[in-house]
Amino acid sequence: MKVTEIFSFDKRTKRELPLFLANVPAGFPSPADDYIDRKLDLNEYLIKHPAATFFVRVEGESMINAGIHAGDILIVDRALEPADKKVVIANINGELTVKRIRIIRDKIYLAAENPRYEPIEISPENGFDVWGVVTCVLHPL
């Protein structure tokens, strides 16, 4: 899966949306204004380290079993440590990719979440670094 666009986080933008106290059923709409608990700023909810956060748009099918699809926007946090089983944005040989880090017997692999793609073993010959850990997938319906 390739990164096609990179966006920075604009912490000046603040949009408070209603956060409802009650769960909302997926059936018929009901009046919910009586259940508004407080306002929710999605920046506060989704972004833990604003100065270290950026967004990327992705394309490809290698991460579909992780719920990441072509056109999705990922929230990426550079302040988090990459670790085994984390989904990351990695730079390998000059190309940005989205993969899951796997550490097996002291070897590092970038694993796809689609059985059609083989894991990539990271070796000293690879130009490799991790740009950040994916914390959220924005998947439009």
Side-chain angles (χ1 to χ4, degrees), residues 41-102:
D41 180 356
L42 290 176
N43 291 323
E44 291 176 20
Y45 184 72
L46 296 174
I47 299 169
K48 303 299 183 216
H49 306 105
T53 297
F54 64 97
F55 305 86
V56 297
R57 185 182 311 275
V58 296
E59 69 177 27
E61 299 178 345
S62 69
M63 296 299 287
I64 57 173
N65 290 342
I68 301 172
H69 302 270
D72 286 354
I73 294 177
L74 308 180
I75 299 176
V76 183
D77 191 333
R78 292 184 66 106
L80 299 176
E81 285 293 320
D84 188 40
K85 300 181 183 172
K86 296 286 187 181
V87 175
V88 299
I89 303 299
N91 179 357
I92 183 159
N93 296 324
E95 185 173 323
L96 292 179
T97 188
V98 181
K99 295 288 184 280
R100 188 173 303 278
I101 286 188
R102 293 307 324 257

Side-chain angles (χ1 to χ4, degrees), residues 4-67:
T4 60
E5 294 179 83
I6 301 172
F7 309 93
S8 65
F9 172 65
D10 180 2
K11 64 182 176 183
R12 296 171 297 161
T13 304
K14 185 171 184 161
R15 294 219 197 287
E16 291 186 346
L17 304 172
L19 175 64
F20 295 98
L21 186 60
N23 291 330
V24 178
F28 293 101
S30 64
D33 285 343
D34 295 339
Y35 297 99
I36 293 177
D37 184 37
R38 61 184 175 91
K39 297 287 185 176
L40 171 69
D41 180 356
L42 290 176
N43 291 323
E44 291 176 20
Y45 184 72
L46 296 174
I47 299 169
K48 303 299 183 216
H49 306 105
T53 297
F54 64 97
F55 305 86
V56 297
R57 185 182 311 275
V58 296
E59 69 177 27
E61 299 178 345
S62 69
M63 296 299 287
I64 57 173
N65 290 342

